[in-house]
Amino acid sequence: MEILFELGISDSDINNMLEQCPDIMDMEYNEIREKIDILRYIECNDRHIRNIIVSNPYYLDRINNDILKLIMYLKEIGISCINLLLETNPYLLNRDVFEIREYIDSKKNMGLSLWEIVDEFESNPYIIDEM
């Protein structure tokens, strides 16, 4: 958990995170470091990372491969600023690729193009939660 303090996350925020996701307490330094490195890979700065982790501590408990698949899929469909999208809705990191794909398919069935769906998604990252 030392790494969370290194990021500048306050004691009270860490306590809140532990209340939400107690498994964080048992995580190794390197496990958390890998999650931070994934966020840096998509060009998140320390402020983005703090906001994402504090808002969604469950992210730290996700499987790296699932997170990377999600990020690759978001890039594949044309999301341009994944870092900003995830800072706006950090709970997207709890989603799996199939959930995003199902959302896109349902919108395509309504007659929208992929470009229109991505534009709508980038404009309102919470829209997927409304389904």
Side-chain angles (χ1 to χ4, degrees):
M1 295 229 318
E2 174 187 324
I3 193 164
L4 299 176
F5 291 110
E6 290 172 11
L7 269 176
I9 298 175
S10 70
D11 288 338
S12 64
D13 282 340
I14 290 175
N15 287 332
N16 288 334
M17 291 167 58
L18 289 171
E19 284 179 25
Q20 291 179 57
C21 186
D23 293 342
I24 296 171
M25 181 66 84
D26 299 325
M27 294 182 76
E28 298 290 328
Y29 183 94
N30 286 336
E31 290 177 285
I32 296 173
R33 160 105 280 129
E34 289 170 356
K35 301 297 188 298
I36 292 168
D37 288 345
I38 289 171
L39 294 175
R40 287 208 169 102
Y41 167 74
I42 58 168
E43 299 180 12
C44 287
N45 61 34
D46 285 351
R47 181 182 51 83
H48 295 143
I49 294 168
R50 273 192 306 274
N51 291 343
I52 290 168
I53 291 174
V54 169
S55 298
N56 181 15
Y58 298 102
Y59 164 70
L60 295 174
D61 200 31
R62 294 265 303 170
I63 296 169
N64 289 351
N65 196 38
D66 291 344
I67 298 165
L68 292 170
K69 284 179 185 177
L70 176 66
I71 290 169
M72 291 300 123
Y73 184 70
L74 293 173
K75 284 184 177 190
E76 180 183 314
I77 62 171
I79 302 290
S80 55
C81 295
I82 296 173
N83 59 341
L84 300 178
L85 181 77
L86 296 177
E87 184 183 28
T88 304
N89 184 357
Y91 291 99
L92 283 174
L93 287 163
N94 298 349
R95 300 263 183 191
D96 289 315
V97 169
F98 78 89
E99 294 174 283
I100 307 295
R101 196 173 281 136
E102 285 176 358
Y103 171 79
I104 289 172
D105 290 344
S106 73
K107 290 294 192 170
K108 281 182 176 179
N109 289 337
M110 297 167 83
L112 294 174
S113 70
L114 180 58
W115 182 87
E116 291 169 315
I117 298 165
V118 168
D119 185 53
E120 182 180 65
F121 193 60
E122 287 181 319
S123 298
N124 180 5
Y126 286 97
I127 200 162
I128 193 169
D129 299 326
E130 297 170 6
M131 287 194 61

